[in-house]
Amino acid sequence: MASDEDSDEDFVSYGTPLEPLEEDEPTRKPVPVHEQTVKDEKGRYKRFHGAFTGGFSAGYFNTVGTKEGWAPSTFLSTRQQKAERQNARPEDFMDEEDFGEHGIAPKEIVTTDDFASERKDQLKDKARAVSSITALIPGDTGLLEELIAPARSSIGVELLRKMGWKDGQGVGPRLKRKQPKQNTGAVRVYGCVLPPNGSEESEEDDDEFAPENVTFAPKDVIPVDFTPKVDSHGLGYRGLNPLQALEGGSGSGHINLFTLHSDRATSLFGDKKKSGQQRRGGIGGQAFGVGAMEEEDSDIYHKDSMSNYDAVLGGEEPGDGLYGWTAPQQYTRKKNDSKRDVAYSGRILEGFTLASQAAEIKTVYPPPDLPRDYRPVHYFRPVVDPSSVSPIVAQALKASRGHLSQDAPQQGRHNLDSAQRRDVLGETPLEGPSSVFELLDSKDRERLNEFRRAAEGRNKPAGDLSSAADRAAVVASAKAAALQALSSRFKSNAPQPDSHTQSMTAPIQPPASSETQMVLNAWSAPTADASKTFKPFSNNPQKQARYDLYINKLKQGNKDALDSSLDSFMTEWERGRERDEFVRAALLYKPSNSSLSSRFTRSKQEDDTDNVEVTRDQENDVDDKQAAVKMKMFGKLTRETFEWHPDKLLCKRFNIPNPYPGSSVVGMPKIKRDKYSVFNFLTITDSREAPSAPKTPSSSTTQKLTPEVSTKRSRWDVPVPGQASETKDPLSAFLSETRSEVSAAQQNETGVKTQTESPHASVTPEVKVALSDGQQIEQKTEEEEKEEDEEEVRPPMDLFKAIFASSSDEKSSSSSEDCSEEEDEVALPTSEPIQSGAGTVNPLISAPITPVPDISNVTDLKHLTVQSMPSAETAAQNTQSTDNAPAKSGLDEEEFGPRLPPPGFVPPARSPQLKKQKKKDKEKHRAKKHKKEKKKKKNKKHKHKGKQKKRVDESNSSSDDTDSNSEDENRVVSTSELLQRLKNIKNKR
Amino acid sequence: MAFPQPRPLAPQLPQLLLRTVDCQQGAVRAVRFNADGNYMLTCGGDKSLKLWSVSRGTHLKTYAGHGYEVLDVDCSYDNSQLCSCSSDKTVILWDVGSGQVTRKLRGHAGKVNCVQFNEEATVMLSGSIDGTVRCWDTRSRRMEPIQILDEARDGISSLKVSEHELLTGSVDGRVRRYDLRMGQLHVDFVGSPITCVCFSRDGQCTLSSSLDSTVRLLDKSSGEMLGEYSGHVNKGYKLDCCLSDKDTHVLSCSEDGHVYFWDLVEGSLTLKLPVGKAVVQSLSFHPTEPRLLTSMEGCVQVWGAESEDAAVEDVKAE
């Protein structure tokens, strides 16, 4: 029923839907049935009935009071407002419930009579039916009412009338068809005024002479009305109609209580009953007397005859085509001629006539049954001439498709050779030698056969040499043999071209050899266990096998392990690529210390994903920015802008329209990259090669110029001072110059710092030299060990405190404490009194997480492995750590960000050592302050003269005597601009 | 006859110590004014968060619920909610009146350095040492952040929110400005680890202090440097900087126990306010008046431009 109203809905849903469940919401306990209450819209307990409709809780708990008690209404004099005293209406005494849906006076929006449909409401119908029975003159109340009723018709009828419609006509375009005489029977004439009897005949006569050009209104179609069945009577029962019953229809005799609606409708209009007996009005009986024109009632007392009853169930259906589509099926089929159809559809389209004979029905034949293995696409196999293709390819083709076109000659005429054609044609073989072989001597032939057999190793019948297929096979095998020999020779020579190419590529990428050396060093260590190492190429078993071979050879200390383990059948490029990958993989997944590796287990889940998500926009070169910062040229050089997508909800919460509506990306747009791609690793080379650069003698000269790499700097900004001047940067020339200037400035700075350093750190310059030189590694390791010994002696808590206190300002001596300092970093929070218990876990966890997933992560990984190593290291580990020493010294305390100052209440009992350190600190402070004051003065100077700033900078930096003019100009302009801008800011305020 | 406009008074600097409050909650990691500047919030090293009256210096309420020292706090615009972050990796949303934890949000992998409400207190933004900024929804009961900003390559040390922008300072030496309206991320390279970032009150500039003992004023739109302020000591600690109430001065904590005031335009050191001997950790400037809060070790100092008695008399006179 509901679906009738909203027809746009495809489905009907029953009941009220559950509210969408929110995940975090705690599950509510369902209210048991006996505690459930019905409340109205105001939250009160619902009364289903008002006082007028049987409600028992009228007022406030059946009283006239309120919650506060009953207050009598105060007397109000109405003397002044007598005129406008309003009459109390019944509604004033009604409860709200009475106005509700179920109340006595429901206040709801209803269609007014003007717009109401023809169907009367059932209450009224019922009331009328009752009254009609109990009326004085039975059966006539309705008639009287209709007589008296004002001429009022619905809006729809009014509109139709305005459009030219007349009562009784059908709706629709006019027809040329003969007008059905539907009105004649339906005209009800009441009273004594009766149409002349002859009119009927004359009408019928007129029909015959109806002119062709006269159109008639279409036949009125009685709508099939679907009245819902609400009573409990049988289907089709309509009760005794007093009109019919009392009329005493002599013709009909039997009063059929069971008729269909449509049938009833026809009876109303009397389409079929055109006989005059029904014309008589509703008022009947001889109580009024028999009119002059009226024939006398034949019999008042009706006598029913049994012939009116059906003796058989399911007899012939009465009625005609007015059943509509609800008619019983066999009934419609019986009268299924085309004319009837036309009558149903109402009219034929203009310009069309009915076909005299029905169109032929097309017989549709079912498609043939396809065989089960039928493939709808035909695949043309490439015809491969075995002689033109290398045997390897032929082999592959054979393997892949099962057969080659060698046995194809049977298919094409042109592929047949003469003997085959002859066989096909059924000719007799020609006399004489058919082959060159036959011309040979029999002995020679024997010998040849012998050769061939030996060469082939196959047992082929010697006689059928003539067949082309075999000859092709011979050729192919010969070729294969030749190629085999060639390739074997190639294989034996394989290392040669490789080493050749290596020597060629060596000048291009000098670190390659050093890398291999490093790898060799790392893997030839006795602790290296290949079986427990990471398998980087596990998704490519062959590659992994080659890698394993390489690793194994590395372990044996084989120098040319790399080249010998590569696949010689690969192209040069592939091999080069793989070589690069292997070296990097071997470097990255270096065998860890056995004691360390025993702590870790292999992950159970294989990370099969070959792709890593990488942000699309990568940051530019950091060195350039660093140079720009040093030059204080903030702006374009230091500013980078990326596309960034805020979350939809975030925009909503910020009350901001989504800048990228419709975009599903959140954050920086990402792209997928191959995880183990060379290019991923290549991006890190510059940062990683920097520390290893000092080892190569070639770069040591440039290193001399800027001997210190180990100034304080974040690990992300590892500069390449030595190589910077060499590399061809797209940026302008002055940038590179300033870069060298920067490094020089740094040098100065550290020079100053080393002066202020305490005697404890006096070793550091040596260490620095050692670093740059690379030859005095032993010395460094000695020192390391010394420190480690110290560590073991000291109580840990004291150590942490001491270092914490000292490291507050001490930054220049970063290289003096390389390994231990990193540990301090890790253990920093323990120095704070509150956390002394279990604080260490926190930073330890946070440390590996800090870097975001990035490519540069890879470098980090290396550092981390070094960091997390226990202080007591094996010899092998020591060599490794010296390898990384420069990189490590690059790290310093800034790595984990600015720290929190110490809380004020330091425990009073302090170790003398601590005090000493504090004093040292103070000294340093003083020195720094002094320096700072100097700087301040300089600043003041530059404030007075904008131009002077430049000179100050020049005096600061020692080695920038080659500043270009363009740079100078740039500076001046920028400062003036800045001033202007600042003034603007002031004005704004 | 039109008189010329009276010359605007020279900006008054809060250089008079009005009172010192001993917070008794360990080291005061951060001190913050509330939205209207009548109250102050202190983050203690003993896991507690305290609410004080600025004018009387009385302790009003303690908010306990963190599992480690509290590092930062922010107050919503209507003073009904607080958000705080802590070394215990959590961010807590508090109900000011009842002192109850409204929401405790976990997700950061390391200690959370900074936290801020947005303008309408619908989102909390927290920056952590794990290098991410997480945006938490205060409206829904979801425990996951709306969005995680993981562009930083090192820990986030400071964070500020404006109407449609998010400013973060990271240890990787970059100041990142997320422009929600434009859908853009602007990265300014400063080089040295950033300890604190601020918007200027007019919203046109950003202020960033870094571990090279320098405070820089950058133009927001172009990234150009408008001013550089140095002289203080900021080498290893996470210290705050800010702008004065009318953007006339730049303030920064220092490790030498002073608060430095620089003239914004000229860049000259106007005032070197001695606070004590230890490190001045945190400071907060009153939103409208020349009033300053500084924290050193376990105490908070309230500074004003004129003595409080005079101010009271002024009020009475009115």
Side-chain angles (χ1 to χ4, degrees), chain A residues 24 619 638-642 644 647 653 655-656 660 835 850 852 899 901 904 978 981 989, chain B residues 29 68 120 122 129 137 141 147 164 174 183 185-189 220 225-226 236 238 246:
Chain A
D24 287 346
E619 207 180 332
T638 57
R639 159 69 61 106
E640 272 184 275
T641 300
F642 304 105
W644 176 73
D647 194 275
R653 290 278 182 264
N655 275 334
I656 279 166
Y660 302 100
Q835 326 172 335
T850 31
V852 281
R899 291 155 304 155
L978 289 188
R981 214 175 264 277
R989 249 182 282 115
Chain B
R29 292 304 181 196
Y68 226 143
E120 297 178 339
T122 51
I129 197 170
D137 195 353
R141 304 181 73 149
Q147 190 174 2
H164 63 277
R174 288 166 180 83
L185 163 62
H186 305 282
V187 183
D188 283 326
F189 184 85
K220 196 182 79 174
M225 188 164 72
L226 304 177
K238 180 185 164 329
K246 292 187 175 67

Short mmCIF file of all heavy atoms in Angstrom, two decimals, chain A residues 24 619 638-642 644 647 653 655-656 660 835 850 852 899 901 904 978 981 989, chain B residues 29 68 120 122 129 137 141 147 164 174 183 185-189 220 225-226 236 238 246:
data_model
loop_
_atom_site.label_atom_id
_atom_site.label_comp_id
_atom_site.label_asym_id
_atom_site.label_seq_id
_atom_site.Cartn_x
_atom_site.Cartn_y
_atom_site.Cartn_z
N ASP A 24 32.89 3.46 18.15
CA ASP A 24 33.46 3.69 19.45
C ASP A 24 32.40 3.77 20.54
O ASP A 24 32.71 3.77 21.72
CB ASP A 24 34.26 5.01 19.44
CG ASP A 24 35.54 4.82 18.67
OD1 ASP A 24 35.88 3.66 18.41
OD2 ASP A 24 36.18 5.83 18.33
N GLU A 619 62.43 17.08 -2.10
CA GLU A 619 63.02 18.36 -1.76
C GLU A 619 64.28 18.57 -2.58
O GLU A 619 64.95 17.62 -3.00
CB GLU A 619 63.36 18.37 -0.29
CG GLU A 619 63.35 19.76 0.28
CD GLU A 619 63.69 19.72 1.75
OE1 GLU A 619 63.41 18.71 2.39
OE2 GLU A 619 64.25 20.71 2.21
N THR A 638 65.29 29.40 -0.22
CA THR A 638 65.01 28.51 0.91
C THR A 638 63.56 28.07 0.95
O THR A 638 63.19 27.24 1.76
CB THR A 638 65.33 29.22 2.23
OG1 THR A 638 64.58 30.43 2.28
CG2 THR A 638 66.79 29.53 2.34
N ARG A 639 62.77 28.67 0.09
CA ARG A 639 61.34 28.38 0.16
C ARG A 639 60.99 27.34 -0.89
O ARG A 639 61.41 27.43 -2.03
CB ARG A 639 60.55 29.69 -0.07
CG ARG A 639 59.12 29.56 -0.51
CD ARG A 639 58.21 29.01 0.55
NE ARG A 639 58.13 29.81 1.75
CZ ARG A 639 57.08 30.57 2.07
NH1 ARG A 639 56.07 30.65 1.25
NH2 ARG A 639 57.05 31.24 3.20
N GLU A 640 60.25 26.36 -0.44
CA GLU A 640 59.72 25.40 -1.40
C GLU A 640 58.25 25.22 -1.12
O GLU A 640 57.81 25.19 0.03
CB GLU A 640 60.44 24.06 -1.26
CG GLU A 640 61.68 23.98 -2.11
CD GLU A 640 62.30 22.62 -2.01
OE1 GLU A 640 63.07 22.41 -1.07
OE2 GLU A 640 62.00 21.78 -2.86
N THR A 641 57.50 25.07 -2.16
CA THR A 641 56.06 24.91 -1.99
C THR A 641 55.63 23.61 -2.65
O THR A 641 56.01 23.32 -3.78
CB THR A 641 55.33 26.10 -2.64
OG1 THR A 641 55.76 27.29 -2.00
CG2 THR A 641 53.84 25.95 -2.47
N PHE A 642 54.90 22.85 -1.91
CA PHE A 642 54.41 21.57 -2.42
C PHE A 642 52.89 21.58 -2.42
O PHE A 642 52.27 22.36 -1.71
CB PHE A 642 54.89 20.42 -1.53
CG PHE A 642 56.36 20.35 -1.37
CD1 PHE A 642 56.96 20.75 -0.19
CD2 PHE A 642 57.16 19.91 -2.40
CE1 PHE A 642 58.32 20.69 -0.02
CE2 PHE A 642 58.53 19.84 -2.25
CZ PHE A 642 59.11 20.23 -1.06
N TRP A 644 49.66 19.98 -1.22
CA TRP A 644 49.34 19.23 -0.01
C TRP A 644 47.83 19.17 0.13
O TRP A 644 47.15 20.18 -0.01
CB TRP A 644 49.98 19.92 1.18
CG TRP A 644 49.63 19.29 2.49
CD1 TRP A 644 50.07 18.10 2.97
CD2 TRP A 644 48.74 19.81 3.47
NE1 TRP A 644 49.51 17.86 4.19
CE2 TRP A 644 48.70 18.89 4.52
CE3 TRP A 644 47.97 20.97 3.57
CZ2 TRP A 644 47.92 19.08 5.66
CZ3 TRP A 644 47.21 21.17 4.70
CH2 TRP A 644 47.19 20.23 5.72
N ASP A 647 42.78 16.73 4.79
CA ASP A 647 41.68 15.79 4.88
C ASP A 647 40.36 16.56 4.77
O ASP A 647 40.27 17.73 5.13
CB ASP A 647 41.76 15.07 6.23
CG ASP A 647 40.87 13.86 6.27
OD1 ASP A 647 39.68 14.00 6.57
OD2 ASP A 647 41.38 12.78 5.99
N ARG A 653 36.26 20.94 9.75
CA ARG A 653 36.45 21.41 11.12
C ARG A 653 37.06 22.81 11.15
O ARG A 653 36.84 23.57 12.08
CB ARG A 653 37.35 20.44 11.87
CG ARG A 653 36.72 19.12 12.15
CD ARG A 653 35.84 19.18 13.38
NE ARG A 653 35.26 17.89 13.68
CZ ARG A 653 34.05 17.51 13.30
NH1 ARG A 653 33.29 18.32 12.60
NH2 ARG A 653 33.59 16.32 13.62
N ASN A 655 36.34 25.00 8.99
CA ASN A 655 35.39 25.87 8.30
C ASN A 655 35.97 26.41 7.00
O ASN A 655 35.87 27.59 6.70
CB ASN A 655 34.98 27.04 9.18
CG ASN A 655 33.84 26.65 10.07
OD1 ASN A 655 33.08 25.75 9.73
ND2 ASN A 655 33.72 27.30 11.20
N ILE A 656 36.58 25.54 6.27
CA ILE A 656 37.26 25.97 5.06
C ILE A 656 36.83 25.05 3.93
O ILE A 656 36.73 23.83 4.12
CB ILE A 656 38.79 25.89 5.27
CG1 ILE A 656 39.26 27.12 6.03
CG2 ILE A 656 39.54 25.76 3.97
CD1 ILE A 656 40.62 27.00 6.56
N TYR A 660 40.85 20.88 -2.74
CA TYR A 660 40.85 19.91 -3.83
C TYR A 660 39.58 19.08 -3.74
O TYR A 660 39.63 17.93 -3.29
CB TYR A 660 42.08 19.00 -3.75
CG TYR A 660 43.37 19.75 -3.79
CD1 TYR A 660 44.08 20.01 -2.64
CD2 TYR A 660 43.88 20.22 -5.00
CE1 TYR A 660 45.27 20.71 -2.68
CE2 TYR A 660 45.06 20.92 -5.05
CZ TYR A 660 45.75 21.16 -3.88
OH TYR A 660 46.93 21.86 -3.93
N GLN A 835 62.49 10.56 36.02
CA GLN A 835 62.41 9.43 35.11
C GLN A 835 63.43 8.36 35.42
O GLN A 835 63.53 7.38 34.72
CB GLN A 835 62.64 9.89 33.69
CG GLN A 835 62.12 11.26 33.42
CD GLN A 835 62.54 11.72 32.07
OE1 GLN A 835 63.54 11.26 31.55
NE2 GLN A 835 61.78 12.61 31.48
N THR A 850 61.72 8.02 14.66
CA THR A 850 61.74 9.43 14.25
C THR A 850 61.81 9.67 12.76
O THR A 850 61.06 10.48 12.27
CB THR A 850 62.87 10.19 14.95
OG1 THR A 850 63.94 9.30 15.16
CG2 THR A 850 62.39 10.81 16.22
N VAL A 852 60.91 9.75 9.12
CA VAL A 852 59.73 9.36 8.35
C VAL A 852 60.20 8.41 7.27
O VAL A 852 61.34 8.44 6.85
CB VAL A 852 59.09 10.59 7.70
CG1 VAL A 852 58.27 11.32 8.71
CG2 VAL A 852 60.14 11.48 7.10
N ARG A 899 66.56 19.83 23.72
CA ARG A 899 66.14 19.13 24.92
C ARG A 899 65.43 20.07 25.85
O ARG A 899 65.33 21.26 25.61
CB ARG A 899 67.37 18.55 25.61
CG ARG A 899 67.98 17.44 24.83
CD ARG A 899 69.43 17.32 25.17
NE ARG A 899 70.11 18.58 24.96
CZ ARG A 899 71.21 18.92 25.59
NH1 ARG A 899 71.71 18.12 26.51
NH2 ARG A 899 71.81 20.06 25.32
N PRO A 901 65.33 21.91 29.45
CA PRO A 901 66.30 22.32 30.46
C PRO A 901 66.16 21.46 31.70
O PRO A 901 65.11 20.88 31.96
CB PRO A 901 65.91 23.76 30.76
CG PRO A 901 65.00 24.16 29.67
CD PRO A 901 64.37 22.94 29.14
N GLY A 904 64.93 22.53 38.20
CA GLY A 904 65.73 23.38 39.07
C GLY A 904 66.36 22.68 40.24
O GLY A 904 67.54 22.84 40.50
N LEU A 978 64.06 44.79 2.32
CA LEU A 978 63.68 44.36 3.66
C LEU A 978 63.27 45.54 4.51
O LEU A 978 62.28 45.51 5.22
CB LEU A 978 64.85 43.64 4.32
CG LEU A 978 65.19 42.28 3.75
CD1 LEU A 978 66.23 41.61 4.61
CD2 LEU A 978 63.94 41.42 3.68
N ARG A 981 59.96 46.74 3.60
CA ARG A 981 58.94 45.81 4.07
C ARG A 981 58.66 46.02 5.56
O ARG A 981 57.52 46.04 6.01
CB ARG A 981 59.46 44.39 3.85
CG ARG A 981 58.41 43.41 3.52
CD ARG A 981 59.09 42.12 3.22
NE ARG A 981 59.28 41.94 1.79
CZ ARG A 981 58.34 41.46 0.99
NH1 ARG A 981 57.17 41.13 1.46
NH2 ARG A 981 58.57 41.31 -0.29
N ARG A 989 50.48 48.61 11.33
CA ARG A 989 50.08 48.64 12.70
C ARG A 989 49.64 50.03 13.07
O ARG A 989 48.76 50.31 13.79
CB ARG A 989 51.25 48.22 13.58
CG ARG A 989 51.00 46.87 14.23
CD ARG A 989 52.15 46.48 15.13
NE ARG A 989 53.27 45.97 14.36
CZ ARG A 989 54.44 46.59 14.32
NH1 ARG A 989 54.64 47.73 14.97
NH2 ARG A 989 55.42 46.08 13.63
N ARG B 29 57.51 23.21 32.63
CA ARG B 29 57.94 23.03 31.25
C ARG B 29 57.35 24.07 30.32
O ARG B 29 57.93 24.42 29.32
CB ARG B 29 57.55 21.63 30.77
CG ARG B 29 58.31 20.52 31.45
CD ARG B 29 59.79 20.72 31.28
NE ARG B 29 60.56 19.64 31.89
CZ ARG B 29 61.86 19.74 32.14
NH1 ARG B 29 62.51 20.85 31.88
NH2 ARG B 29 62.50 18.73 32.68
N TYR B 68 53.44 11.29 32.56
CA TYR B 68 54.82 11.75 32.51
C TYR B 68 54.76 13.27 32.51
O TYR B 68 53.68 13.85 32.61
CB TYR B 68 55.49 11.27 31.23
CG TYR B 68 56.87 10.69 31.46
CD1 TYR B 68 57.32 9.60 30.73
CD2 TYR B 68 57.70 11.26 32.38
CE1 TYR B 68 58.57 9.08 30.93
CE2 TYR B 68 58.96 10.74 32.59
CZ TYR B 68 59.39 9.66 31.87
OH TYR B 68 60.63 9.14 32.06
N GLU B 120 38.31 27.33 16.62
CA GLU B 120 37.02 27.02 17.21
C GLU B 120 37.09 25.81 18.13
O GLU B 120 36.06 25.25 18.50
CB GLU B 120 36.01 26.74 16.09
CG GLU B 120 35.81 27.97 15.23
CD GLU B 120 34.87 27.70 14.09
OE1 GLU B 120 34.70 26.52 13.74
OE2 GLU B 120 34.31 28.67 13.57
N THR B 122 37.75 22.88 17.53
CA THR B 122 37.18 21.65 16.97
C THR B 122 38.26 20.63 16.67
O THR B 122 37.96 19.46 16.52
CB THR B 122 36.41 21.96 15.68
OG1 THR B 122 37.26 22.71 14.82
CG2 THR B 122 35.18 22.75 15.97
N ILE B 129 57.88 14.24 18.84
CA ILE B 129 59.26 13.94 18.51
C ILE B 129 59.33 12.89 17.42
O ILE B 129 60.35 12.71 16.77
CB ILE B 129 60.00 13.48 19.78
CG1 ILE B 129 61.51 13.56 19.59
CG2 ILE B 129 59.60 12.09 20.16
CD1 ILE B 129 62.29 13.36 20.84
N ASP B 137 40.21 15.14 16.34
CA ASP B 137 38.88 15.73 16.29
C ASP B 137 38.34 15.79 17.71
O ASP B 137 38.28 14.78 18.40
CB ASP B 137 37.98 14.85 15.40
CG ASP B 137 36.72 15.55 15.02
OD1 ASP B 137 36.50 16.65 15.54
OD2 ASP B 137 35.98 15.02 14.19
N ARG B 141 33.97 11.01 18.70
CA ARG B 141 34.59 10.16 19.71
C ARG B 141 35.63 9.25 19.09
O ARG B 141 36.04 8.28 19.69
CB ARG B 141 33.52 9.34 20.40
CG ARG B 141 32.44 10.21 20.99
CD ARG B 141 31.42 9.38 21.68
NE ARG B 141 31.95 8.85 22.94
CZ ARG B 141 31.22 8.62 24.00
NH1 ARG B 141 29.95 8.90 23.97
NH2 ARG B 141 31.74 8.11 25.07
N GLN B 147 43.97 13.42 10.50
CA GLN B 147 45.04 13.38 9.52
C GLN B 147 46.38 13.39 10.24
O GLN B 147 46.51 13.96 11.31
CB GLN B 147 44.93 14.59 8.58
CG GLN B 147 45.86 14.48 7.39
CD GLN B 147 45.66 15.58 6.39
OE1 GLN B 147 44.85 16.47 6.60
NE2 GLN B 147 46.40 15.56 5.31
N HIS B 164 43.43 29.42 9.16
CA HIS B 164 43.45 28.38 8.15
C HIS B 164 44.86 27.88 7.88
O HIS B 164 45.11 27.30 6.85
CB HIS B 164 42.82 28.88 6.86
CG HIS B 164 43.57 30.02 6.24
ND1 HIS B 164 43.41 31.30 6.65
CD2 HIS B 164 44.50 30.05 5.27
CE1 HIS B 164 44.20 32.08 5.94
NE2 HIS B 164 44.88 31.35 5.10
N ARG B 174 63.50 23.07 9.45
CA ARG B 174 62.58 23.63 8.49
C ARG B 174 61.32 24.13 9.18
O ARG B 174 60.85 23.52 10.13
CB ARG B 174 62.19 22.59 7.44
CG ARG B 174 63.31 22.29 6.48
CD ARG B 174 63.01 21.03 5.71
NE ARG B 174 64.08 20.72 4.78
CZ ARG B 174 65.20 20.07 5.10
NH1 ARG B 174 65.38 19.70 6.35
NH2 ARG B 174 66.13 19.82 4.21
N GLY B 183 45.63 24.53 0.04
CA GLY B 183 46.07 23.16 -0.15
C GLY B 183 47.55 23.08 -0.50
O GLY B 183 47.95 22.36 -1.39
N LEU B 185 51.75 23.30 0.93
CA LEU B 185 52.70 23.20 2.02
C LEU B 185 53.93 24.02 1.64
O LEU B 185 54.54 23.80 0.60
CB LEU B 185 53.10 21.73 2.23
CG LEU B 185 54.35 21.45 3.03
CD1 LEU B 185 54.20 21.98 4.44
CD2 LEU B 185 54.62 19.97 3.07
N HIS B 186 54.23 25.02 2.45
CA HIS B 186 55.40 25.85 2.20
C HIS B 186 56.48 25.45 3.19
O HIS B 186 56.24 25.41 4.40
CB HIS B 186 55.07 27.32 2.39
CG HIS B 186 53.92 27.76 1.54
ND1 HIS B 186 54.04 28.03 0.21
CD2 HIS B 186 52.61 27.94 1.83
CE1 HIS B 186 52.88 28.38 -0.28
NE2 HIS B 186 51.99 28.33 0.68
N VAL B 187 57.62 25.14 2.68
CA VAL B 187 58.73 24.73 3.54
C VAL B 187 59.81 25.79 3.46
O VAL B 187 60.30 26.11 2.39
CB VAL B 187 59.29 23.36 3.09
CG1 VAL B 187 60.38 22.93 4.03
CG2 VAL B 187 58.20 22.34 3.03
N ASP B 188 60.14 26.34 4.60
CA ASP B 188 61.23 27.31 4.67
C ASP B 188 62.41 26.65 5.36
O ASP B 188 62.28 26.14 6.48
CB ASP B 188 60.80 28.55 5.45
CG ASP B 188 59.92 29.44 4.62
OD1 ASP B 188 60.14 29.50 3.41
OD2 ASP B 188 59.01 30.06 5.18
N PHE B 189 63.49 26.68 4.69
CA PHE B 189 64.69 26.06 5.26
C PHE B 189 65.41 27.08 6.11
O PHE B 189 65.73 28.17 5.64
CB PHE B 189 65.58 25.56 4.12
CG PHE B 189 66.80 24.84 4.60
CD1 PHE B 189 66.73 23.50 4.90
CD2 PHE B 189 67.99 25.50 4.74
CE1 PHE B 189 67.84 22.83 5.33
CE2 PHE B 189 69.12 24.84 5.18
CZ PHE B 189 69.04 23.48 5.47
N LYS B 220 55.68 35.75 5.54
CA LYS B 220 54.90 34.52 5.43
C LYS B 220 54.72 34.12 3.97
O LYS B 220 54.82 32.94 3.63
CB LYS B 220 53.54 34.71 6.09
CG LYS B 220 52.82 33.43 6.37
CD LYS B 220 51.47 33.69 6.98
CE LYS B 220 50.49 34.08 5.91
NZ LYS B 220 49.14 34.21 6.44
N MET B 225 63.55 36.88 4.63
CA MET B 225 63.82 37.22 6.02
C MET B 225 63.65 38.70 6.22
O MET B 225 64.24 39.52 5.53
CB MET B 225 65.22 36.78 6.41
CG MET B 225 65.46 36.94 7.88
SD MET B 225 66.89 36.03 8.43
CE MET B 225 68.17 37.02 7.72
N LEU B 226 62.85 39.07 7.20
CA LEU B 226 62.60 40.47 7.47
C LEU B 226 63.45 40.96 8.62
O LEU B 226 63.70 42.15 8.75
CB LEU B 226 61.13 40.69 7.80
CG LEU B 226 60.15 40.21 6.74
CD1 LEU B 226 58.73 40.41 7.21
CD2 LEU B 226 60.37 40.96 5.44
N GLY B 236 70.94 24.45 23.08
CA GLY B 236 70.57 23.04 23.21
C GLY B 236 69.17 22.80 23.73
O GLY B 236 68.69 21.68 23.65
N LYS B 238 64.99 23.53 24.26
CA LYS B 238 63.80 23.98 23.54
C LYS B 238 63.24 25.19 24.29
O LYS B 238 62.62 25.04 25.34
CB LYS B 238 62.77 22.86 23.52
CG LYS B 238 61.48 23.22 22.80
CD LYS B 238 60.50 22.10 22.94
CE LYS B 238 59.08 22.51 22.61
NZ LYS B 238 58.72 23.86 22.88
N LYS B 246 51.56 44.01 20.75
CA LYS B 246 51.27 44.83 19.58
C LYS B 246 52.29 44.62 18.47
O LYS B 246 52.46 45.49 17.61
CB LYS B 246 51.22 46.30 19.98
CG LYS B 246 50.04 46.61 20.87
CD LYS B 246 49.93 48.09 21.12
CE LYS B 246 48.68 48.41 21.90
NZ LYS B 246 48.73 47.88 23.29
#
